[in-house]
Amino acid sequence: MSVRVRYAPSPTGFLHIGNARTALYNYLFAKNQGGEFILRIEDTDLERNVEGGEESQMNFLRWLGIEWDESFDVGGDYGPYRQLERLDIYKKYVDELLEKGLAYKCYCTSEELEAEREALSDNKFDNIHYSRRCMNATGADLSELEARGEYSVRMKVPAGETYTFNDIVRGEVTFQSEDVGDWVILKSNGIPTYNFACVIDDHLMEISHIFRGEEHITNTPKQMMVYRAFGWDIPTFAHMTLIVNEQGKKLSKRDKDTIQFIEQYANMGYLPEAMFNFISLLGWSPGIEEEILDHDRLVELFDVNRLSKSPSTFDKNKLTFINERYIKDLSTEELLELCMPHLVSAGILEGQTHEWATELVTLFHDRLSYGAEIVDLYDEFFSDEMELGEEEAAFIAQEGVSDTLKAFKDELAGLDEFTAEGIQASIKAAGKKAGAKGKMLFMPCRIATTGQMHGPDLPKALALLGKDTVVGRIEKVI
Ligand code: GLU
Ligand code: ZN
């Protein structure tokens, strides 16, 4: 049987890290197996759909480097790929179940259902299931109900059935039909519910494997019941474990401490290749020590037997580490491209040349964890108000330092061209003049011009700062 998998987002929001992982694992599995990866839009929950959700999800999947073989935009033989465009298909299958007596119409209003639930909630020993009032109604009662016109369709959950499946992650999982009440498969507006539409589509689209989050595990018995009602084979399921934050709590969209939307990472200047790599490790391990793995390597290594059985922690340090590694491999042009939007929006490039921008990003290449950080690094070393910390001030206060600084300032002031080479020579000359060397030479020069004891290559940094600023800073410190 050929491998066909799908990522089936609901356009109820933007691409979340958990969704991205689901998409990625389906994608990696398909590519590893030489199968097809399908993108299907599950847009049946009208109230929850958000404007732009679908487009944004697709844009950021592509940004990550996840391409699909079939969907409404790239075509395919199994369309339509949006559920709202498949309503007549679902209707046909609902009718079939009604005819076979495996489903029935329910005319109850939401108030009636609510009252029923309330009345039943006193009974602590039974699961609260729908009373089957409409299924059991006959004669005048039934006519009265039917006269209402509007109805939903409920699955008639068979008694005494066991639903067992062999989950790739969890092994054998079993549910009993007693735990499931007669659930709605078609709402009164003619739109199917997720559990029903999902099965019809997965079957018709010949989906072989389903990788999805463990929050869907309790949906699986409902879905199996539909497969059985039609006599269809069930696909292979893999319910992936939760992603948790560093405190071990399930990542929640409200969790302010962890950035969770792919778009936010893109906007901050994380690299798509690094995100692809990082997300691949959120619940799966490559079985080798190396964790910096590019697209092709991940496709090659992806093995469902190494899906994690315990929750995976969203480790921010690991993300930073991976992103830094990918940034280090960038060419100067790529690095500039990554930093450019951030430099521009911070106004740092005003009045500066392209060369200046190039030298600036090169100077910080080794220190950059993500694109937007260039602004912080710039501010740290180049901001107008330079304040000395206690330690720095104490260093400068040492005997002889002011002579060194005066000599340094004079040398710099005498430079015709304020280049890194010229500045390098000035430091040397100042040392000779003032009789300072080693740390007692370099540290004062660095502190008096950058306010810091550590930092990027000093002559290069000062060349970028410009003569007036540098000389002005030294004068102030003296
Ligand atoms: N539309 C569902 C979701 O976004 C898909 C669940 C599934 O993969 O079956 O969670
Ligand atoms: Zn009813």
Short mmCIF file of all heavy atoms in Angstrom, two decimals, residues 6 8-10 19 40 42 194 198 202 210-212 215-216 223, ligand 1:
data_model
loop_
_atom_site.label_atom_id
_atom_site.label_comp_id
_atom_site.label_asym_id
_atom_site.label_seq_id
_atom_site.Cartn_x
_atom_site.Cartn_y
_atom_site.Cartn_z
N ARG A 6 -1.65 13.20 5.57
CA ARG A 6 -2.21 14.54 5.40
C ARG A 6 -1.97 15.38 6.64
O ARG A 6 -1.84 14.89 7.76
CB ARG A 6 -3.69 14.46 5.04
CG ARG A 6 -4.80 14.10 6.05
CD ARG A 6 -4.45 13.41 7.28
NE ARG A 6 -5.56 13.03 8.12
CZ ARG A 6 -5.81 13.54 9.33
NH1 ARG A 6 -5.04 14.44 9.87
NH2 ARG A 6 -6.82 13.09 10.05
N ALA A 8 -4.08 18.40 8.32
CA ALA A 8 -5.45 18.88 8.14
C ALA A 8 -5.78 20.02 9.09
O ALA A 8 -6.53 19.86 10.04
CB ALA A 8 -6.42 17.71 8.36
N PRO A 9 -5.20 21.18 8.85
CA PRO A 9 -5.43 22.28 9.80
C PRO A 9 -6.84 22.85 9.70
O PRO A 9 -7.45 22.81 8.64
CB PRO A 9 -4.42 23.34 9.34
CG PRO A 9 -4.27 23.11 7.87
CD PRO A 9 -4.35 21.61 7.72
N SER A 10 -7.32 23.33 10.82
CA SER A 10 -8.53 24.13 10.83
C SER A 10 -8.06 25.58 10.81
O SER A 10 -7.16 25.93 11.57
CB SER A 10 -9.32 23.87 12.11
OG SER A 10 -9.66 22.50 12.16
N ASN A 19 1.17 22.67 15.70
CA ASN A 19 0.65 22.37 14.35
C ASN A 19 1.81 22.13 13.40
O ASN A 19 1.78 21.21 12.57
CB ASN A 19 -0.14 23.54 13.75
CG ASN A 19 -1.25 24.05 14.64
OD1 ASN A 19 -1.45 25.25 14.77
ND2 ASN A 19 -1.98 23.13 15.26
N ARG A 40 -5.09 19.38 3.68
CA ARG A 40 -6.55 19.47 3.62
C ARG A 40 -7.02 20.52 4.63
O ARG A 40 -6.54 20.53 5.76
CB ARG A 40 -7.15 18.11 3.97
CG ARG A 40 -8.67 18.12 3.94
CD ARG A 40 -9.25 16.74 4.15
NE ARG A 40 -9.22 16.31 5.52
CZ ARG A 40 -8.85 15.08 5.94
NH1 ARG A 40 -8.44 14.17 5.07
NH2 ARG A 40 -8.87 14.78 7.21
N GLU A 42 -9.70 21.90 7.10
CA GLU A 42 -10.89 21.48 7.85
C GLU A 42 -11.59 22.72 8.40
O GLU A 42 -11.37 23.12 9.54
CB GLU A 42 -10.48 20.48 8.95
CG GLU A 42 -9.79 19.26 8.33
CD GLU A 42 -9.82 18.01 9.18
OE1 GLU A 42 -9.81 18.12 10.42
OE2 GLU A 42 -9.87 16.90 8.60
N TYR A 194 -16.35 17.54 12.82
CA TYR A 194 -14.98 17.14 12.50
C TYR A 194 -14.80 15.63 12.43
O TYR A 194 -14.27 15.09 11.46
CB TYR A 194 -14.01 17.76 13.52
CG TYR A 194 -12.77 16.93 13.74
CD1 TYR A 194 -11.81 16.81 12.73
CD2 TYR A 194 -12.57 16.23 14.93
CE1 TYR A 194 -10.69 16.01 12.90
CE2 TYR A 194 -11.46 15.43 15.11
CZ TYR A 194 -10.52 15.32 14.09
OH TYR A 194 -9.43 14.53 14.26
N CYS A 198 -13.76 14.09 8.84
CA CYS A 198 -12.38 13.63 8.84
C CYS A 198 -12.27 12.19 8.32
O CYS A 198 -11.41 11.87 7.50
CB CYS A 198 -11.90 13.75 10.28
SG CYS A 198 -10.31 13.05 10.59
N ASP A 202 -10.48 11.07 5.00
CA ASP A 202 -9.31 10.20 5.10
C ASP A 202 -9.51 8.93 4.27
O ASP A 202 -8.58 8.44 3.63
CB ASP A 202 -9.01 9.86 6.56
CG ASP A 202 -8.40 11.04 7.32
OD1 ASP A 202 -7.82 11.93 6.64
OD2 ASP A 202 -8.51 11.10 8.55
N ILE A 210 -1.93 8.41 9.98
CA ILE A 210 -2.33 9.70 10.55
C ILE A 210 -1.45 10.02 11.74
O ILE A 210 -1.49 9.34 12.76
CB ILE A 210 -3.82 9.65 10.97
CG1 ILE A 210 -4.70 9.47 9.72
CG2 ILE A 210 -4.20 10.91 11.75
CD1 ILE A 210 -6.19 9.36 10.01
N PHE A 211 -0.63 11.05 11.58
CA PHE A 211 0.18 11.54 12.70
C PHE A 211 -0.52 12.79 13.19
O PHE A 211 -0.75 13.73 12.42
CB PHE A 211 1.59 11.91 12.22
CG PHE A 211 2.38 10.74 11.75
CD1 PHE A 211 2.27 10.29 10.44
CD2 PHE A 211 3.22 10.05 12.61
CE1 PHE A 211 2.98 9.17 9.99
CE2 PHE A 211 3.93 8.94 12.17
CZ PHE A 211 3.82 8.51 10.86
N ARG A 212 -0.88 12.81 14.46
CA ARG A 212 -1.54 13.99 15.01
C ARG A 212 -1.29 14.04 16.50
O ARG A 212 -0.77 13.08 17.10
CB ARG A 212 -3.04 13.98 14.68
CG ARG A 212 -3.79 12.79 15.25
CD ARG A 212 -5.24 12.78 14.77
NE ARG A 212 -5.98 11.63 15.26
CZ ARG A 212 -7.16 11.25 14.78
NH1 ARG A 212 -7.75 11.93 13.82
NH2 ARG A 212 -7.77 10.20 15.28
N GLU A 215 -4.08 15.05 21.77
CA GLU A 215 -5.40 15.56 22.14
C GLU A 215 -6.50 14.93 21.28
O GLU A 215 -7.67 14.99 21.60
CB GLU A 215 -5.45 17.10 22.05
CG GLU A 215 -5.32 17.69 20.66
CD GLU A 215 -3.87 17.91 20.22
OE1 GLU A 215 -2.96 17.31 20.84
OE2 GLU A 215 -3.66 18.66 19.26
N HIS A 216 -6.11 14.29 20.19
CA HIS A 216 -7.10 13.66 19.31
C HIS A 216 -7.35 12.19 19.63
O HIS A 216 -8.18 11.56 18.98
CB HIS A 216 -6.66 13.79 17.85
CG HIS A 216 -6.83 15.19 17.34
ND1 HIS A 216 -8.06 15.78 17.16
CD2 HIS A 216 -5.93 16.14 16.99
CE1 HIS A 216 -7.92 17.01 16.73
NE2 HIS A 216 -6.63 17.26 16.61
N GLN A 223 -14.17 7.94 15.45
CA GLN A 223 -13.81 7.81 14.03
C GLN A 223 -13.82 6.34 13.60
O GLN A 223 -14.29 6.01 12.52
CB GLN A 223 -12.45 8.49 13.78
CG GLN A 223 -12.53 9.98 14.10
CD GLN A 223 -11.27 10.77 13.81
OE1 GLN A 223 -10.30 10.25 13.26
NE2 GLN A 223 -11.27 12.04 14.19
N1 GLU B 1 -8.53 19.74 12.01
C1 GLU B 1 -7.98 18.95 13.05
C2 GLU B 1 -7.05 19.83 13.89
O1 GLU B 1 -6.64 20.87 13.42
C3 GLU B 1 -7.22 17.78 12.48
C4 GLU B 1 -7.13 16.63 13.39
C5 GLU B 1 -6.63 15.38 12.70
O2 GLU B 1 -5.48 15.41 12.26
O3 GLU B 1 -7.40 14.45 12.58
O4 GLU B 1 -6.74 19.53 15.00
#
